[in-house]
Amino acid sequence: MKTNISSIVFSTAIVISSIVLGNAYMNRNKPERTIAVTGHGVTNFTSDLIVWEGEFTKSNTDLQQAYIDLKKDKKVVMDYLATHGIDATTAVFNAVITDRKTQSNYSATGTYIGENFIGYELSQTIMISSNEVEKIEKISREITELLNKGVQFYSKKPRYYYTKLAELKIEMISKATENAKLRAEKIAMNSGSELDELTVAKMGIFQITGRHSGEDHSWGGALNTSSREKTASITTKLTYTLK
C-alpha cells in the first residue's frame, strides 16, 4: 500500500515538473516585448566668440626695402585697430612669409625659354579672437579702407564659435531623451501597454548648423563656423521593455 502511494506521489511530481519545465521552455523562446524610439532635441543660439583673420602684403625687387615697407604697413594696421577700440594684445601677428616671384618666358612658337626674377612679395597675417562679436564683425568689413592708405589688406570671412558648448550639449541630450521617452509612452499607451525598464540608450551625433541655412547633417557631425546664428540638434535612441 505504501509502495503504491509513493509511486503515485512520484508520478505526480514528474508530471508537475514536466509542465513547469515545458512552460519555462516556451517562455524562454517567447520574444520579449520591447519598444524602440528616437528622440530629437533642437535649440537655437547665438555665437559669443569671433575669430577673424586678415593679410597684408608688400612687393619690391629689394628684399630689405620690402621688409621695411611691410613693417610700416603693420604700424598702419595696428593704429587703425587702436582707433576702433581694439586692444593690441588681442591681435596676433604671424611670422612674415617671403615669396620670390619669377616670370616664365616663352618663344614666339610657345617654347619655354626660361624665367626672370621680378621681385619679392612679403606677406603677414593677423588674427583676432574676441567676445566683442559685433565690433570685430564690423571691422572685418570696413578694414579694407586701409587700401586708401596704400596698404594691400585682404580681409577673410570671420569664424563664429560658442564658448559654452559643453553645457549646451548636456541640455540638448536632456531634451532629446525627454522627447524620446514621451514618444515611447504615447506609443505604449495607444497599444494598451505600459513602459517597464529602459534597456538601451544611445546618443546620436551632435550637429551645429547655420540657422535657416539648409545645411545637410553629417555622419560625423556638422560644425558650422560661418554663421553667427546657429542651430544645434542631437538624437537619442531608447529601448524600453513593456509590461
Side-chain angles (χ1 to χ4, degrees):
M1 183 67 177
K2 291 183 179 180
T3 302
N4 291 334
I5 293 174
S6 299
S7 299
I8 293 172
V9 172
F10 182 70
S11 299
T12 302
I14 292 176
V15 171
I16 294 173
S17 298
S18 299
I19 294 172
V20 171
L21 290 173
N23 287 334
Y25 182 79
M26 291 176 64
N27 289 333
R28 187 187 68 180
N29 290 289
K30 184 179 180 180
E32 186 177 37
R33 295 197 309 151
T34 62
I35 182 172
V37 291
T38 298
H40 195 210
V42 179
T43 191
N44 295 321
F45 65 96
T46 302
S47 304
D48 61 358
L49 177 69
I50 185 171
V51 177
W52 169 70
E53 292 180 90
E55 181 182 29
F56 51 100
T57 63
K58 211 69 177 179
S59 299
N60 201 299
T61 53
D62 183 277
L63 180 59
Q64 185 176 6
Q65 186 60 48
Y67 181 77
I68 292 173
D69 293 341
L70 187 72
K71 193 173 181 179
K72 290 179 180 178
D73 284 355
K74 178 181 177 180
K75 178 66 167 55
V76 174
V77 172
M78 293 179 67
D79 290 344
Y80 179 89
L81 295 175
T83 58
H84 287 76
I86 301 301
D87 186 351
T89 59
T90 64
V92 177
F93 289 87
N94 293 323
V96 175
I97 297 176
T98 303
D99 188 14
R100 187 176 186 276
K101 296 290 185 179
T102 59
Q103 182 180 51
S104 299
N105 298 313
Y106 298 88
S107 66
T109 59
T111 302
Y112 175 73
I113 57 177
E115 58 184 26
N116 61 290
F117 170 71
I118 59 175
Y120 296 98
E121 182 181 85
L122 274 60
S123 62
Q124 190 169 25
T125 59
I126 176 177
M127 182 177 73
I128 295 177
S129 300
S130 175
N131 296 115
E132 297 181 291
V133 179
E134 291 187 5
K135 180 187 288 188
I136 303 302
E137 193 174 54
K138 186 172 185 292
I139 290 175
S140 72
R141 294 192 300 264
E142 298 178 354
I143 199 169
T144 49
E145 295 173 352
L146 291 176
L147 292 172
N148 297 327
K149 298 182 179 182
V151 179
Q152 299 180 47
F153 196 96
Y154 307 92
S155 178
K156 298 182 181 180
K157 189 174 180 179
R159 303 191 302 275
Y160 300 91
Y161 300 92
Y162 190 57
T163 59
K164 300 176 182 177
L165 200 57
E167 294 91 334
L168 181 65
K169 285 184 178 181
I170 294 174
E171 177 188 339
M172 296 303 300
I173 293 171
S174 177
K175 282 186 176 182
T177 303
E178 183 180 347
N179 178 256
K181 184 178 180 181
L182 180 61
R183 293 185 182 191
E185 289 173 340
K186 290 290 185 183
I187 295 173
M189 182 179 66
N190 291 336
S191 63
S193 303
E194 292 183 39
L195 295 184
D196 193 4
E197 294 183 353
L198 174 64
T199 58
V200 179
K202 294 181 179 180
M203 184 179 71
I205 301 299
F206 192 65
Q207 310 277 355
I208 296 180
T209 57
R211 195 181 306 179
H212 310 305
S213 65
E215 295 176 63
D216 292 329
H217 287 182
S218 167
W219 286 106
L223 178 58
N224 174 287
T225 59
S226 60
S227 302
R228 182 179 175 184
E229 302 296 329
K230 304 180 190 292
T231 297
S233 63
I234 195 170
T235 58
T236 56
K237 295 182 179 180
L238 306 181
T239 301
Y240 290 91
T241 56
L242 296 176
K243 294 181 180 179

